[in-house]
Amino acid sequence: MMNPSISDSDVFTALRSFLQYLFPNVEIIQSQQNRNPPPKGAFIAMNNVGKRRLATNWRTYTNTEEQKTQNTVMPTEYTIQVDFYGKQSGERAQVFCALFFDYTGSDVFPKNIRPLYVTDPVQLPLITGEKQFLERWKTEVKIQFNPVISTPMEFFDRVSISLIPVPLEE
């Protein structure tokens, strides 16, 4: 199987690192995990929403002794929902949105995974199993990455041409 050079896991790791930079004392999880209860207290959950192509693919080629490949690049926008739970989650969501869209986001994210934009935070009422209100704020981030998928390719650098005489018929 051919794998892209930048995986979903790489994108989530970059976003998680940014969130940890902003909120070092808040637990950050990737949601949609089976058999795992949500953390107690304040936490942040990340959930993938979708991917969108940003431009037509482009190709480069690698022709070395070690590697002979066609490298296809697909500029991609990744949408991730970020939910802030617990006390002061509204303030955390606001700080996150302000700094994601700021130079801070560009400075903290790796060079191959870039923040594009973020939606305004929205409060979503959440009633727990114990019939208690839990403060929850949601936003969505758009992140660009350009994964490369390398496929094997044969190259040649010498051609041997020989002419074969063909009789002419009149």
Side-chain angles (χ1 to χ4, degrees), residues 7-145:
S7 68
D8 291 359
S9 179
D10 295 331
V11 176
F12 274 100
T13 298
L15 179 57
R16 186 174 193 276
S17 295
F18 180 69
L19 287 162
Q20 285 177 322
Y21 170 78
L22 298 177
F23 312 109
N25 299 321
V26 176
E27 188 166 355
I28 301 160
I29 64 168
Q30 185 173 344
S31 54
Q32 293 185 348
Q33 303 293 327
N34 289 327
R35 300 175 195 251
N36 288 325
K40 293 194 182 294
F43 69 96
I44 300 168
M46 307 176 296
N47 182 38
N48 58 338
V49 175
K51 296 178 188 178
R52 182 175 73 90
R53 177 187 305 272
L54 292 174
T56 302
N57 293 354
W58 72 82
R59 292 180 181 170
T60 61
Y61 300 91
T62 305
N63 184 13
T64 64
E65 289 297 321
E66 302 81 35
Q67 186 178 12
K68 296 183 181 306
T69 59
Q70 170 186 288
N71 310 303
T72 303
V73 180
M74 184 179 125
T76 304
E77 174 189 273
Y78 204 152
T79 302
I80 299 174
Q81 179 178 316
V82 182
D83 292 327
F84 298 84
Y85 293 87
K87 292 181 181 177
Q88 297 182 320
S89 59
E91 288 82 0
R92 278 191 296 279
Q94 187 173 10
V95 167
F96 171 75
C97 290
L99 297 179
F100 183 88
F101 204 61
D102 184 66
Y103 291 120
T104 306
S106 293
D107 291 342
V108 174
F109 272 82
K111 298 298 178 209
N112 61 346
I113 300 171
R114 308 305 295 162
L116 289 176
Y117 59 94
V118 60
T119 62
D120 292 331
V122 177
Q123 186 180 33
L124 299 173
L126 180 64
I127 306 298
T128 66
E130 293 80 22
K131 306 286 187 206
Q132 299 294 312
F133 171 77
L134 178 61
E135 190 174 352
R136 173 185 175 199
W137 287 78
K138 174 193 89 96
T139 186
E140 287 186 356
V141 297
K142 309 289 185 175
I143 296 173
Q144 180 175 349
F145 67 109

